[in-house]
Amino acid sequence: MTKITIRENQTYRLLIEGYAADGAGVARLDGVVVFAKGGVRGEECDVLIEKVGRSAVWGRVTRAVVPSPARIVPQCLHYTKCGGCQLRHMNYAEELEAKRIRVEDSLRRIGGADMRVDVIHGAQDTRRYRNKVQFPVQAGQDGPLAGFYRQRTHSVIDVEDCLLQPESAGRLRSAALKWMEQYNVPAYDERTGSGLVRHFYVRVNRAGDSLFCLLVNGRQVPHEAELAAALRAAEPGLAGVVLGINEKRNNVILGDRYRTLWGRDYLEDVLCGLSFRLSVPSFYQVNAPQAEVLYRRALDLAGLTGSETVLDLYCGIGTISLVMARRALRVIGAEVVPQAVEDASGNAARNGIANAEFLCADAGEAARSLAESGVKIDVVCVDPPRKGLAGGVIDIIAAMAPDRVVYVSCDPGTLARDVKLFAAQGYALRKAEAVDLFPRTAHVETVCLLTRTK
């Protein structure tokens, strides 16, 4: 049978069979995998081919010929242009199933774990759940732009409102843009390294308070008092205005130094009944209600009875550590960012928790130091960044021989890779549950329990 020649800018009618990690539909054309943006599982679609690679093809759905019952009309005007959301063309039930399947498939295909992921914890609210927003700023033809990057580019789309962000973020964004226009404050140009304003940053808490940070390529900005006044007038719940300094030629958002222009440089929020102080660089889950679900499941899987010593690696400002401390004998948190360790210690004191302590070290160094000092660890909890556990950390954890490892992951692929490495060290995957912290996007969190088998 003669194979067809797949050509770019040609349209083919395909059946969407499943989903890729980025939320695109997966189809096959003459045996070749096609990733079709905008496809919904089970539907027959016309797909315009945009790129032909050696082993796969990429395209986008131009028409659903036989649409799925799960297909809906996206409510966002910026969808398909902005890179923030990937799943607004399907209903939430289908989105949750797509994410559950992705976690299960990763664990089986990459991790070698023959396990069904029975549970995905969906969000009660899929709108305006983000408690942190970062707007990149660029110069436009008619003035500065602030919004989000166009898909797979560093070109900013001017977005006045986003359905994932709190309404206060939009008000503060507009006020900051008007200040830039009024005083001719230039936007940063990452190509030349010139200009001043790089990002607007907004953090909110559940009480409705907001913190604004202006991230700049410099140590000061003109008319600082006028900026603070404009922001205060735009948002009654504003608690503080901070200047973040980042003079490096890079794509990093946050600065390495901060200065308060008005008010205070932190917010306080309540999570799992505990109070946390959040500065601009503090890591904090962007969906607080779903973070509570995630942390409570991690606590339950840890199986604490009050007699265990827990090691919490990548502990950030101590959220999981302090949740665990209420059921453990002792908790040791480790984090490489000094400010986060300081915040974690302060959060422990603020909540009257005396059985939690924090080390400033990367995960490998902390685990190795504790192992060498003879500290017996019963349970290890890890919540690494998207790249998963750093090299050698799994070996060090296994050498400590904890009874249980609770793994909180934001990437099913690197989680599955690490599950396979843990299996080689005698730790079997016993339970895995997905938690949707990022509705309408392709991201999904997973919490797993691994136990020592030898």
Side-chain angles (χ1 to χ4, degrees):
M1 185 175 178
T2 305
K3 293 180 70 69
I4 67 171
T5 300
I6 304 173
R7 301 184 184 279
E8 294 179 359
N9 299 317
Q10 293 289 316
T11 298
Y12 300 86
R13 188 157 295 179
L14 305 175
L15 176 66
I16 306 299
E17 301 172 357
Y19 299 105
D22 64 356
V26 176
R28 294 185 183 276
L29 177 56
D30 202 21
V32 178
V33 174
V34 179
F35 299 108
K37 289 183 294 185
V40 179
R41 183 179 51 151
E43 62 185 14
E44 192 174 343
C45 295
D46 286 343
V47 178
L48 176 66
I49 302 303
E50 297 178 321
K51 179 183 177 182
V52 176
R54 290 185 177 181
S55 58
V57 174
W58 290 264
R60 59 181 172 86
V61 172
T62 57
R63 183 167 73 106
V65 180
V66 183
S68 164
R71 178 173 286 279
I72 62 174
V73 177
Q75 297 301 304
C76 177
L77 296 174
H78 307 288
Y79 188 58
T80 72
K81 299 174 184 176
C82 162
C85 295
Q86 296 81 38
L87 304 177
R88 287 196 172 276
H89 59 284
M90 64 182 70
N91 63 29
Y92 192 47
E94 179 67 11
E95 175 182 338
L96 290 177
E97 182 62 5
K99 291 176 176 180
R100 187 199 66 77
I101 292 172
R102 178 187 170 197
V103 173
E104 183 177 272
D105 179 65
S106 295
L107 289 172
R108 286 181 174 175
R109 182 172 49 83
I110 303 172
D114 187 15
M115 170 175 289
R116 177 170 172 80
V117 177
D118 293 314
V119 177
I120 178 165
H121 300 275
Q124 289 188 348
D125 194 350
T126 63
R127 293 166 57 98
R128 303 202 182 279
Y129 59 82
R130 288 192 65 94
N131 57 39
K132 184 178 73 173
V133 184
Q134 296 166 148
F135 298 104
V137 180
Q138 282 182 0
Q141 290 184 346
D142 300 318
L145 307 175
F148 302 107
Y149 289 124
R150 192 180 300 275
Q151 287 189 24
R152 296 181 177 85
T153 74
H154 268 217
S155 174
V156 171
I157 299 173
D158 205 43
V159 177
E160 290 188 9
D161 187 33
C162 167
L163 296 177
L164 300 187
Q165 72 187 28
E167 292 178 328
S168 59
R171 292 191 289 268
L172 291 167
R173 166 199 166 275
S174 295
L177 278 177
K178 290 177 181 176
W179 167 81
M180 289 183 67
E181 293 171 349
Q182 182 175 356
Y183 297 104
N184 295 315
V185 181
Y188 177 71
D189 186 336
E190 64 180 27
R191 295 169 300 176
T192 64
S194 61
L196 191 58
V197 178
R198 303 172 73 126
H199 281 81
F200 301 155
Y201 168 112
V202 179
R203 167 164 266 163
V204 301
N205 63 12
R206 294 164 97 171
D209 302 320
S210 301
L211 181 67
F212 181 91
C213 180
L214 187 76
L215 291 146
V216 298
N217 174 42
R219 302 183 184 183
Q220 59 185 15
V221 293
H223 302 283
E224 293 178 353
E226 288 81 0
L227 170 63
L231 295 169
R232 292 172 66 187
E235 180 49 45
L238 187 64
V241 179
V242 177
L243 186 72
I245 299 167
N246 179 5
E247 297 179 287
K248 298 177 182 177
R249 291 285 298 271
N250 57 29
N251 293 326
V252 175
I253 296 175
L254 296 181
D256 49 20
R257 285 165 291 166
Y258 298 91
R259 179 163 57 87
T260 304
L261 303 184
W262 172 84
R264 63 177 190 263
D265 63 353
Y266 67 89
L267 293 179
E268 291 187 352
D269 203 15
V270 176
L271 190 74
C272 295
L274 298 168
S275 176
F276 293 93
R277 180 169 290 191
L278 311 172
S279 58
V280 170
S282 297
F283 172 78
Y284 193 64
Q285 293 284 5
V286 299
N287 187 335
Q290 284 298 93
E292 290 186 329
V293 174
L294 179 68
Y295 294 163
R296 284 171 180 154
R297 293 307 300 137
L299 178 62
D300 290 343
L301 292 177
L304 302 178
T305 65
S307 62
E308 295 87 0
T309 297
V310 178
L311 173 60
D312 180 19
L313 300 177
Y314 309 91
C315 73
I317 62 171
T319 45
I320 294 180
S321 299
L322 299 185
V323 170
M324 295 274 184
R326 293 188 292 189
R327 289 193 195 172
L329 176 66
R330 180 188 183 193
V331 174
I332 304 167
E335 172 59 53
V336 72
V337 180
Q339 180 62 51
V341 175
E342 184 179 332
D343 288 344
S345 297
N347 288 327
R350 190 171 298 106
N351 289 282
I353 294 177
N355 63 332
E357 57 196 273
F358 298 94
L359 308 175
C360 187
D362 69 29
E365 290 172 358
R368 186 181 299 108
S369 174
L370 292 170
E372 290 173 353
S373 62
V375 177
K376 176 65 175 74
I377 301 296
D378 302 296
V379 177
V380 171
C381 183
V382 296
D383 186 6
R386 198 168 302 282
K387 64 183 179 181
L389 293 175
V393 173
I394 293 174
D395 294 341
I396 298 169
I397 291 173
M400 302 177 80
D403 296 324
R404 298 178 293 284
V405 175
V406 177
Y407 196 134
V408 177
S409 167
C410 59
D411 185 275
T414 56
L415 166 66
R417 177 204 67 198
D418 291 346
V419 163
K420 189 170 186 177
L421 294 174
F422 268 114
Q425 294 284 359
Y427 283 83
L429 180 64
R430 300 300 186 192
K431 183 75 173 177
E433 297 180 6
V435 184
D436 188 24
L437 267 75
F438 311 98
R440 316 321 274 149
T441 80
H443 301 299
V444 60
E445 296 267 335
T446 311
V447 58
C448 293
L449 172 65
L450 302 103
T451 62
R452 185 161 58 99
T453 60
K454 65 179 180 180

